[in-house]
Amino acid sequence: MEVRVVAAGKGWRWIVDGFALFRKAPAMWIAITILLALIWAVSLILPLLGTLLFNLLSPVFLAGLMTGCRAVENGEALEIRHLFAGFKQQSAPLVTIGGVYLVGTIVVMGIVLLSAGGSMLPTVLSKGAGVDIETLRAAIRSLAIALVIGSAFYLPLIMLIWFAPMLVMFVGMAPVAAMKLSFSACFRNTVPFLVYGVAVLGIWIVLSLPAAAGFVGGLLVLALLLGSIPVLICSIYASYKDVFIPSRSASTTGGNPFLR
């Protein structure tokens, strides 16, 4: 497949188009999001193993969610079964992608821990309120540096994985080829992805503001997040269509895109 280089503003457009897909089946999208969250919560019951397994299967779930996006776009009903579609189709290559993501995540976490200084943070946590201000500042500084370094290593991993499940699910590409093409597509569209990342961060900050109101605000934030997560899921599909599939005339129509 040929990679398209799109304009910077497309990064915001992916969120808008994701919202349009969400509006076509909001209740079912929220239900699927809750189900996926429950699966993640259950995985936490198994210490370490459950988390590793969930990360391994995350591309399989993502591929299923993308089939749901395609179904909604084609006017079909969104169903719970779409979440598990990746287990019925292309499961082996999707798990292979999950394996790369899992190993990469473990490596990045190791780099973060090493960069943060293995003994400083536990010392600060163990002392609690008794820690002196200079030690606390040093710990925060080392943690900030570690997070920056970790992000620098984690970003290429995300670029490898971003489009890969869709390329496997929709095109039938081999996992290694799909990851290579995904990385290339993300790299060639760095600017729109930067706009997308800033927009997502801004949205999450705004949605988190009601939490300052206490318990009621926390419930409101939870409700908003349940609505925003499926929008972001749908925006991944929108980015795939934009980068790999020529946009249709409908995507360039005027008017308020949030009200289409």
Side-chain angles (χ1 to χ4, degrees), residues 56-140:
L56 179 67
L57 297 178
S58 57
V60 186
F61 286 120
L62 179 59
L65 292 167
M66 295 302 100
T67 63
C69 290
R70 173 170 282 189
V72 171
E73 181 187 41
N74 292 334
E76 302 172 14
L78 179 65
E79 301 176 5
I80 295 295
R81 65 177 177 83
H82 285 117
L83 178 61
F84 305 101
F87 291 93
K88 298 180 179 179
Q89 308 173 41
Q90 305 289 351
S91 58
L94 289 171
V95 170
T96 300
I97 294 173
V100 173
Y101 177 68
L102 175 59
V103 172
T105 300
I106 293 173
V107 171
V108 171
M109 289 180 62
I111 293 173
V112 170
L113 291 175
L114 289 174
S115 302
S119 60
M120 182 168 291
L121 290 178
T123 300
V124 171
L125 293 175
S126 64
K127 289 184 178 180
V131 66
D132 63 273
I133 189 64
E134 288 303 323
T135 302
L136 180 59
R137 286 176 178 173
I140 294 175

Side-chain angles (χ1 to χ4, degrees), residues 12 15 193-210 224-225 228 232:
W12 168 248
I15 299 175
F193 270 109
L194 179 61
V195 172
Y196 175 82
V198 171
V200 170
L201 179 61
I203 290 172
W204 279 68
I205 291 175
V206 171
L207 293 181
S208 300
L209 292 179
L224 291 172
L225 289 179
S228 66
L232 295 181

Side-chain angles (χ1 to χ4, degrees), residues 26-83:
M28 184 55 68
W29 273 121
I30 291 175
I32 290 177
T33 300
I34 293 174
L35 177 58
L36 185 60
L38 289 175
I39 293 173
W40 171 76
V42 170
S43 72
L44 297 179
I45 297 176
L46 299 174
L48 187 61
L49 179 60
T51 302
L52 294 177
L53 183 61
F54 186 83
N55 278 275
L56 179 67
L57 297 178
S58 57
V60 186
F61 286 120
L62 179 59
L65 292 167
M66 295 302 100
T67 63
C69 290
R70 173 170 282 189
V72 171
E73 181 187 41
N74 292 334
E76 302 172 14
L78 179 65
E79 301 176 5
I80 295 295
R81 65 177 177 83
H82 285 117
L83 178 61

